Amino acid sequence: MAISSSVVFIFTTLLFLSGYVLQQQTVRSLQAAIKPQPAVVQPPPSPVLAKHFGTPPGHSFFDKYLASNRPKGGWAKVAYVQLLREHLHVCNAVMLFAVLEEQESLAQRVILYPKEWDEKKEAPGKGRLDLNPQVETSKRLLREAAKRYRVMLQPIKPMVKIGDESVFPLAGLLSLSGYNRVIYLPPSGLILDTSGLDHLFTLPMESTMLGISAGSEDETHTPSIVLMRPSKESFKETLSSLPADKYSEEEFLSKIPLLPDLPEDQIHVLAKTSGLRDEDDAFDADKFMDGTSYVHISDPDILGPEFDAPRQLLASVRPKKSEPKKAWQDIYERYRQQRMDVCGLDLEPTPNLLKDMAGTPGQEISS
């Protein structure tokens, strides 16, 4: 009888203790749920743009060792580089890298931009920061490029004084000696297919710089794609050859030797909108859009695809034949739509000089 009472007492005690423990755990959980959480104070954003976010492309085991047609040194040693000097061209650079990311190009991506965009400036006599809308928009777009499209951002300062002007010349890209080859795409343009452009990293290249040009026969053939082999030696040599009185990027580009002939499978790597006016009735707009890698958007009398040009001006510049006109309009419309989708920007207002030519400005290009 005593043993039975002891067993009952022990089990009763254990049951009580287990119930007590469960009760305390429940009470603590309720207290934690009811207790107000302290507000998390977010640190203010740094005015200096981060150099990159995430893992750059071209660094995985597959990228390094298994990808076909690998450039010398691998994909980590080649890069698309955009040199920015004006706020107008920031969106174009981000648009290019958005397509490179979407189509999974393995090459690195770099944007060089003026360091002064990072600097804080106080409004005169007001004791507060002077926020320039253009600068703030550019910084927003650059942050998006770094975060979403794995672009490395590098602020730059003028590196040479030519005449009365301090500039960072295009030759400065030769100082990026960490890469075996870089590709620069003068603004503005659209990438339609990255594979053709990526293949340019694998082409034999003996000279320091090489250009690829496309356009109408009556135009000066400045390159629409520039390939460079950076090195300290070539950088110093090219920099020392720049004129001492005045720097012209157009003149510098015109002196870059052009690739005489592309390989058969690379003929359609580049096109220029101005060249569409020379196409004949055999031209197929759909095949053109599907088979071209990069389109340099440049036409006489139009400042650029970033501007909302008058309809009358567009009608006078675009090709007259049906299929080339269809391709031309598609390119400009794609640029407008991509500018909105990627950058959240509408077309820029056209300067009065062009608006005075008459015609009602429009968002879309109609037939």
Side-chain angles (χ1 to χ4, degrees):
M1 185 71 176
I3 295 175
S4 299
S5 300
S6 300
V7 171
V8 171
F9 175 76
I10 291 171
F11 277 101
T12 302
T13 304
L14 292 174
L15 184 62
F16 170 77
L17 291 174
S18 62
Y20 177 76
V21 170
L22 290 173
Q23 181 189 47
Q24 292 303 308
Q25 289 178 344
T26 303
V27 170
R28 282 194 294 269
S29 299
L30 290 172
Q31 289 175 338
I34 297 173
K35 183 179 180 181
Q37 298 296 321
V40 179
V41 180
Q42 297 290 344
S46 171
V48 179
L49 299 169
K51 286 195 175 182
H52 64 81
F53 292 79
T55 304
H59 282 73
S60 72
F61 178 87
F62 175 83
D63 298 340
K64 283 186 176 182
Y65 301 107
L66 302 181
S68 61
N69 295 324
R70 198 164 58 96
K72 181 181 177 181
W75 290 102
K77 299 293 287 182
V78 297
Y80 291 95
V81 180
Q82 291 304 108
L83 173 60
L84 299 177
R85 301 189 187 93
E86 301 177 26
H87 297 292
L88 177 67
H89 296 143
V90 175
C91 179
N92 180 79
V94 178
M95 287 164 55
L96 296 177
F97 290 126
V99 178
L100 291 174
E101 175 68 14
E102 179 185 355
Q103 299 189 13
E104 300 180 345
S105 169
L106 299 178
Q108 308 307 292
R109 304 145 202 179
V110 181
I111 288 180
L112 307 180
Y113 68 96
K115 185 176 178 59
E116 63 182 23
W117 292 359
D118 284 338
E119 297 171 357
K120 290 182 177 180
K121 295 182 180 179
E122 290 190 1
K126 297 183 179 180
R128 58 180 175 80
L129 291 180
D130 183 16
L131 299 179
N132 184 313
Q134 284 189 314
V135 173
E136 295 306 307
T137 298
S138 293
K139 289 169 70 172
R140 172 182 67 82
L141 294 175
L142 291 174
R143 281 192 290 264
E144 284 291 305
K147 187 174 182 180
R148 299 182 61 182
Y149 311 128
R150 298 187 286 179
V151 177
M152 300 183 69
L153 305 177
Q154 182 62 54
I156 55 173
K157 292 183 177 180
M159 62 167 48
V160 63
K161 188 175 180 64
I162 300 177
D164 297 329
E165 187 180 11
S166 296
V167 298
F168 187 101
L170 188 60
L173 301 189
L174 291 171
S175 66
L176 302 175
S177 55
Y179 299 105
N180 293 333
R181 187 176 300 186
V182 300
I183 288 179
Y184 169 71
L185 303 173
S188 297
L190 276 181
I191 296 177
L192 303 179
D193 179 19
T194 61
S195 59
L197 289 176
D198 282 348
H199 187 66
L200 295 177
F201 288 116
T202 68
L203 292 181
M205 183 175 169
E206 300 299 328
S207 59
T208 298
M209 293 181 287
L210 198 61
I212 303 176
S213 177
S216 60
E217 295 179 357
D218 58 346
E219 286 186 306
T220 302
H221 281 201
T222 55
S224 296
I225 299 176
V226 180
L227 287 75
M228 294 185 176
R229 290 193 302 123
S231 70
K232 294 179 181 178
E233 294 75 17
S234 61
F235 167 62
K236 291 179 181 178
E237 181 181 349
T238 307
L239 203 63
S240 64
S241 68
L242 295 177
D245 54 345
K246 186 178 181 181
Y247 175 74
S248 167
E249 189 139 301
E250 188 71 19
E251 182 179 348
F252 178 80
L253 285 169
S254 67
K255 293 180 179 179
I256 295 176
L258 297 178
L259 186 67
D261 292 300
L262 283 167
E264 188 66 28
D265 60 345
Q266 289 295 109
I267 288 177
H268 301 296
V269 70
L270 171 66
K272 198 171 183 179
T273 50
S274 59
L276 292 174
R277 292 179 299 174
D278 300 326
E279 297 294 341
D280 55 24
D281 294 326
F283 182 85
D284 188 313
D286 293 332
K287 287 184 178 179
F288 171 82
M289 298 301 292
D290 292 338
T292 305
S293 295
Y294 178 69
V295 180
H296 188 190
I297 306 176
S298 177
D299 290 281
D301 300 324
I302 296 182
L303 293 180
E306 298 88 358
F307 291 96
D308 189 10
R311 291 181 184 275
Q312 183 176 329
L313 175 61
L314 295 173
S316 67
V317 171
R318 68 191 178 195
K320 304 305 178 185
K321 296 185 181 296
S322 176
E323 285 293 295
K325 181 172 74 171
K326 176 184 174 183
W328 191 91
Q329 292 180 163
D330 193 8
I331 291 165
Y332 271 85
E333 177 58 22
R334 282 197 192 191
Y335 191 95
R336 182 197 69 81
Q337 188 60 52
Q338 200 173 118
R339 180 177 163 90
M340 175 60 72
D341 294 342
V342 174
C343 305
L345 297 177
D346 207 339
L347 296 180
E348 298 289 333
T350 309
N352 291 332
L353 178 63
L354 293 181
K355 285 187 176 179
D356 290 342
M357 296 180 67
T360 305
Q363 295 293 334
E364 297 187 8
I365 302 171
S366 60
S367 301

